[in-house]
């Protein structure tokens, strides 16, 4: 299953599909933010990600995402790439994935319905994550018969996190499955299996 998006180019810079020099600076800054967060969660002293390692990862990321062939989409916030990183993924609904979803901590049960053209998603806003060292995030999850589709956006600034809700909602609404035929007004037309 492949994902597509019509994210607003005035707000979001796609990391997916930006090969070589195109988007390199934004990829590096987003990867540096994620690496710094990984250091914090792991219990290391907060420090920015290594410049060389983030450069290396920024060069490899587009190749890995191209290999993922639409199963992973990623964006950074145009105005400040280190502020928000959003990643959409799709994975097959195996018994292990279902079990992992069922055994998530109780904090993750506080979801709200979020209607989109792809169907109703579960939206989870975690302004204060259970681990105080973790970044605030918003997650949108759609379940199809065979796949789990997730958009997760992490913000590096707790104070600015609330200002991003509408752009993140719009980004979530822009995601669709590549093979779904679209009706004239943008709604997805789903046909039952033959």
């Amino acid at each position: 299953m492949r994902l597509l998006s019509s994210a607003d180019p005035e707000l979001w810079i796609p990391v997916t599909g930006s090969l070589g020099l195109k988007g390199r600076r934004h990829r590096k800054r987003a990867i540096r933010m994620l690496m710094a967060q990984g250091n914090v969660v792991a219990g290391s002293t907060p420090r920015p990600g290594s410049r060389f390692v983030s450069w290396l990862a920024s060069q490899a990321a587009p190749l890995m995402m191209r290999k993922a062939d639409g199963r992973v989409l990623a964006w950074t916030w145009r105005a400040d790439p280190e502020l928000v990183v959003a990643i959409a993924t799709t994975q097959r609904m195996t018994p292990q994935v279902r079990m992992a979803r069922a055994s998530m901590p109780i904090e993750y049960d506080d979801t709200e319905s979020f209607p989109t053209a792809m169907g109703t998603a579960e939206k989870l806003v975690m302004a204060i994550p259970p681990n105080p060292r973790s970044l605030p995030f918003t997650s949108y999850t759609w379940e199809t018969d065979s796949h789990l589709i997730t958009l997760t956006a992490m913000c590096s600034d707790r104070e600015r996190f609330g200002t991003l809700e509408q752009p993140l909602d719009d980004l979530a609404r822009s995601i669709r499955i590549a093979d779904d035929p679209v009706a004239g007004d943008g709604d997805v037309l789903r046909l039952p299996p033959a």
Side-chain angles (χ1 to χ4, degrees):
M1 177 179 288
R2 294 178 60 245
L3 299 176
L4 297 174
S5 172
S6 54
D8 184 353
E10 297 297 317
L11 299 177
W12 300 100
I13 296 174
V15 175
T16 323
S18 63
L19 194 60
L21 297 176
K22 183 180 175 189
R24 177 180 58 90
R25 180 172 54 101
H26 298 287
R27 280 195 313 269
K28 263 194 339 191
R29 290 177 69 188
I31 290 168
R32 195 174 311 144
M33 186 267 277
L34 293 173
M35 287 172 54
Q37 171 58 18
N39 290 335
V40 170
V41 171
S44 303
T45 57
R47 64 183 188 273
S50 159
R51 289 186 182 272
F52 175 73
V53 175
S54 61
W55 172 83
L56 188 63
S58 75
Q59 300 304 307
L63 296 172
M64 291 185 291
M65 288 186 182
R66 183 172 279 181
K67 188 174 182 180
D69 190 30
R71 293 186 308 272
V72 177
L73 300 177
W75 302 266
T76 61
W77 187 245
R78 180 173 287 281
D80 185 358
E82 289 184 54
L83 177 64
V84 178
V85 176
I87 301 172
T89 60
T90 179
Q91 62 187 112
R92 189 169 296 283
M93 281 293 272
T94 63
Q96 292 82 2
V97 170
R98 289 181 197 278
M99 188 168 61
R101 279 187 51 76
S103 57
M104 292 178 90
I106 191 128
E107 293 89 355
Y108 291 84
D109 290 341
D110 194 17
T111 61
E112 59 186 73
S113 293
F114 183 76
T116 68
M118 198 163 55
T120 301
E122 291 180 3
K123 177 182 174 182
L124 173 66
V125 177
M126 194 68 73
I128 303 173
N131 180 347
R133 293 188 274 183
S134 295
L135 294 176
F137 67 90
T138 301
S139 175
Y140 305 82
T141 307
W142 297 265
E143 284 188 33
T144 68
D145 292 338
S146 59
H147 285 78
L148 180 71
I149 300 166
T150 307
L151 170 66
T152 304
M154 293 159 282
C155 180
S156 62
D157 186 344
R158 289 179 189 268
E159 294 177 8
R160 294 171 63 189
F161 177 65
T163 65
L164 301 165
E165 185 172 2
Q166 189 58 50
L168 289 172
D169 286 353
D170 294 342
L171 178 63
R173 286 187 180 98
S174 77
I175 296 173
R176 62 189 186 283
I177 298 169
D179 300 332
D180 278 341
V182 177
D185 62 353
D187 290 331
V188 174
L189 174 65
R190 291 193 185 270
L191 301 175

